Amino acid sequence: MQESNKLEKIISLCKRRGFVFPGSEIYGGLAGTWDYGPLGLTLKNNIKNSWWKKFVEERDDMYGVDAAILMNAKVWEASGHVAGFSDPLVECKNCHKKFRADHISEGNTETGKLELPKECPECGKFGTWLPESKFNMMFKTNIGPVEDKSSVSYLRPETAQGMFVNFKNVIDSFHPHLPFGLAQIGKAFRNEISPRDFLFRAREFEQMEIEYFTRESEWKKIFENFRAEILKWLSDIGLGKGSVHELEVPAEDRAHYSKRTIDFEFDYPFGRKELLGLAYRTDFDLSAHINKSGADLLYYDEETKERFTPHCIEPSFGLDRAILAVLCEAYTEDELGGEARVFLKLKPSIAPVKVAVFPLLKNKPELVNKARKVFAELKKEIRPIVFDDNGNIGKRYRRQDEIGTPFCVTIDFDTLENDTVTVRDRDIGKQERYKISELESLIKKNIYGRK
Ligand code: GAP
């Protein structure tokens, strides 16, 4: 399959089958925004829940928060975002189209340096660039009815700051001992100059972030620990070792707050790109907020009687980029029974529909009634589950394949005789007979690894 076509096929499948729709579509859309439909939302929730379970619930050193998206503008002054959260912007003098300079620049073969193209990619005119400027990516808004400087606020460009400003609140209410972390899942907004590649670069997206606090002397050990945990979780959601790559980010490319960053990259159809980052943020953020707010954000160690500013390790996951990676990894074209088919080879644990139940024939009430019964019983324990009696059985299988449903249960005439059904495996299309009484534990074992 041509990689360039693959993204188009995934976008089309996502729209057709109710995973992801273009934002505000009936009004011509809104660039950089995407709406999740029923299946996309379930897939998203499954990925989110898996992350929360692994990085928060199963640990004893994590505290979840859900901070406001709108924050006092001083937060963003302290964090460095007002002064420095910008991308290089260039504008064509002729057609006035704006571009992110680093997205259209190419290496000069002689000097090796990045240079703007001689012709505008939009109108093709030669040598028309206005001088490069810096474009701050934060969405500005005003709080309350008066629109002046004092009412300016921003939609958060990262969830991280919501955790730094609540550091003291969590210390005061839970008295955690170092090392410990704060975790948050939530929306972030960036006024990207050129949103592109579907969910990869959007203007509104979701992050899953951890700010993990420790003594300076411990940061390397914790960094390595997260590095391993990240790879394990990526594998849990179906992103195998072969398609995830670690990139040690060189000092000149790191964010202003970072002393070490590893980008975990994924082989998207449009190239190997950042899926998530792991950064050592030092004590930059807590120190910046201490200086700006005057608040006491120091940690007091009762044993050693020391007071100090903890250092911070930050695993920062883009949820939408994870969803896109999962879809790209799962999208498969093959041939089954002599016919071409498309299926999503999703891990059963994150598939949006776990089981589909069919009566072999729609016009045989005894089959339909039995299938309804099996469906109702399974639904008590396994969800989401769907019932489908539309079209012929082959078409029903294909519909479920396309959304990644791992199991299809069919009620046929043998079922009426001996209470057995066929269970079809999505990946190989093979059907095997099982007793109805065995179904629940069989499916649960495959989906959740337990009966
Ligand atoms: N708190 C650190 C931070 O925000 P970042 O590298 O700017 O670091 C973290 O962003 C993650 O957020 C990225 O690795 C990516 O997964 C996701 N992300 C960033 N910009 C995005 C965008 N425009 N659209 C979708 N996801 C984005």
Side-chain angles (χ1 to χ4, degrees):
M1 188 187 344
Q2 280 232 319
E3 286 296 285
S4 54
N5 285 344
K6 186 171 170 181
L7 186 66
E8 294 312 314
K9 288 178 179 175
I10 290 170
I11 296 173
S12 152
L13 186 154
C14 281
K15 181 160 186 322
R16 196 171 64 249
R17 302 307 314 273
F19 280 86
V20 183
F21 309 119
S24 314
E25 197 183 8
I26 61 167
Y27 288 102
L30 181 67
T33 65
W34 298 94
D35 295 343
Y36 284 84
L39 293 184
L41 173 64
T42 310
L43 176 65
K44 187 184 207 182
N45 284 340
N46 291 345
I47 293 178
K48 252 192 225 187
N49 292 341
S50 147
W51 187 90
W52 194 258
K53 185 165 165 265
K54 173 161 183 65
F55 288 104
V56 183
E57 285 177 359
E58 287 180 355
R59 300 177 59 133
D60 301 324
D61 55 352
M62 287 288 185
Y63 298 82
V65 295
D66 183 17
I69 287 174
L70 290 170
M71 303 179 82
N72 191 311
K74 288 179 186 158
V75 170
W76 306 108
E77 289 166 17
S79 67
H81 284 80
V82 171
F85 192 58
S86 47
D87 275 340
L89 178 76
V90 284
E91 182 176 337
C92 169
K93 244 190 254 176
N94 182 51
C95 68
H96 297 290
K97 173 100 181 167
K98 294 183 167 113
F99 299 91
R100 214 176 113 169
D102 55 330
H103 279 175
I104 57 166
S105 296
E106 285 157 10
N108 180 314
T109 42
E110 280 165 26
T111 63
K113 284 192 181 152
L114 280 182
E115 285 178 5
L116 287 171
K118 303 268 182 280
E119 288 159 12
C120 168
E122 183 72 9
C123 67
K125 192 121 189 216
F126 193 83
T128 58
W129 300 116
L130 287 166
E132 189 175 308
S133 59
K134 290 272 174 212
F135 175 74
N136 192 301
M137 289 201 288
M138 282 198 294
F139 281 102
K140 221 183 220 177
T141 187
N142 291 85
I143 303 293
V146 182
E147 286 195 19
D148 64 12
K149 241 178 144 186
S150 69
S151 67
V152 166
S153 183
Y154 303 91
L155 298 186
R156 67 180 179 206
E158 61 171 10
T159 63
Q161 299 303 323
M163 290 179 269
F164 293 119
V165 300
N166 279 295
F167 174 79
K168 183 169 164 42
N169 287 331
V170 172
I171 292 239
D172 290 348
S173 44
F174 292 90
H175 313 288
H177 291 287
L178 281 182
F180 70 92
L182 269 57
Q184 168 160 236
I185 300 180
K187 290 268 183 170
F189 302 82
R190 296 183 188 180
N191 197 0
E192 295 281 354
I193 296 169
S194 36
R196 58 182 179 183
D197 298 325
F198 194 28
L199 304 171
F200 182 82
R201 191 173 301 285
R203 290 187 167 130
E204 176 176 342
F205 55 96
E206 236 170 309
Q207 290 185 319
M208 307 186 289
E209 295 197 297
I210 293 167
E211 306 306 327
Y212 196 85
F213 300 100
T214 182
R215 292 170 176 277
E216 185 177 3
S217 56
E218 303 266 274
W219 80 264
K220 284 187 182 151
K221 192 177 77 192
I222 287 167
F223 194 94
E224 287 308 318
N225 185 276
F226 273 118
R227 195 173 168 178
E229 293 300 305
I230 287 168
L231 289 174
K232 273 193 215 152
W233 181 73
L234 291 176
S235 154
D236 286 350
I237 60 165
L239 304 178
K241 275 190 191 142
S243 45
V244 177
H245 311 273
E246 292 182 38
L247 173 80
E248 185 75 49
V249 179
E252 62 274 20
D253 294 340
R254 288 200 294 259
H256 59 283
Y257 50 73
S258 172
K259 252 196 178 164
R260 184 178 181 198
T261 298
I262 290 182
D263 281 349
F264 291 76
E265 299 187 317
F266 177 78
D267 290 324
Y268 292 98
F270 41 88
R272 187 171 289 181
K273 303 271 171 174
E274 179 186 336
L275 163 62
L276 68 105
L278 172 64
Y280 168 40
R281 288 183 82 125
T282 68
D283 59 351
F284 174 86
D285 300 270
L286 287 182
S287 297
H289 289 303
I290 291 170
N291 290 338
K292 182 89 182 167
S293 67
D296 175 6
L297 305 182
L298 299 183
Y299 175 81
Y300 178 65
D301 187 323
E302 280 162 15
E303 271 176 33
T304 62
K305 313 287 179 217
E306 288 170 281
R307 285 173 73 76
F308 59 93
T309 315
H311 280 229
C312 181
I313 307 290
E314 179 196 62
S316 174
F317 298 69
L319 176 56
D320 310 79
R321 284 191 189 178
I323 294 167
L324 180 56
V326 160
L327 288 170
C328 292
E329 183 91 357
Y331 184 89
T332 312
E333 291 177 356
D334 72 353
E335 214 177 80
L336 196 64
E339 273 181 46
R341 72 157 179 165
V342 168
F343 74 106
L344 291 184
K345 202 172 180 173
L346 295 169
K347 278 255 177 137
S349 55
I350 60 159
V353 174
K354 309 295 186 207
V355 191
V357 178
F358 311 144
L360 181 65
L361 298 169
K362 188 183 181 171
N363 58 2
K364 296 283 173 203
E366 61 276 35
L367 291 183
V368 175
N369 289 342
K370 184 74 179 174
R372 285 263 172 221
K373 268 193 199 150
V374 172
F375 171 75
E377 274 308 304
L378 281 180
K379 193 177 163 102
K380 286 182 193 161
E381 290 295 325
I382 298 162
R383 291 181 294 267
I385 171 169
V386 297
F387 183 89
D388 189 4
D389 59 6
N390 253 325
N392 69 43
I393 197 89
K395 286 204 175 118
R396 291 183 222 156
Y397 284 145
R398 295 302 150 93
R399 275 201 292 274
Q400 296 305 323
D401 285 345
E402 221 188 11
I403 62 169
T405 306
F407 304 105
C408 292
V409 172
T410 300
I411 281 72
D412 56 18
F413 291 105
D414 285 353
T415 315
L416 304 177
E417 301 291 317
N418 59 16
D419 256 6
T420 62
V421 293
T422 64
V423 178
R424 175 181 175 271
D425 180 300
R426 172 198 66 197
D427 298 351
I428 49 172
K430 194 172 155 208
Q431 294 169 45
E432 284 188 76
R433 284 206 91 82
Y434 288 92
K435 286 188 184 144
I436 291 176
S437 56
E438 293 171 328
L439 276 182
E440 187 189 316
S441 76
L442 169 85
I443 295 168
K444 275 189 177 167
K445 203 167 127 204
N446 276 282
I447 297 174
Y448 312 112
R450 62 177 162 78
K451 289 190 182 172

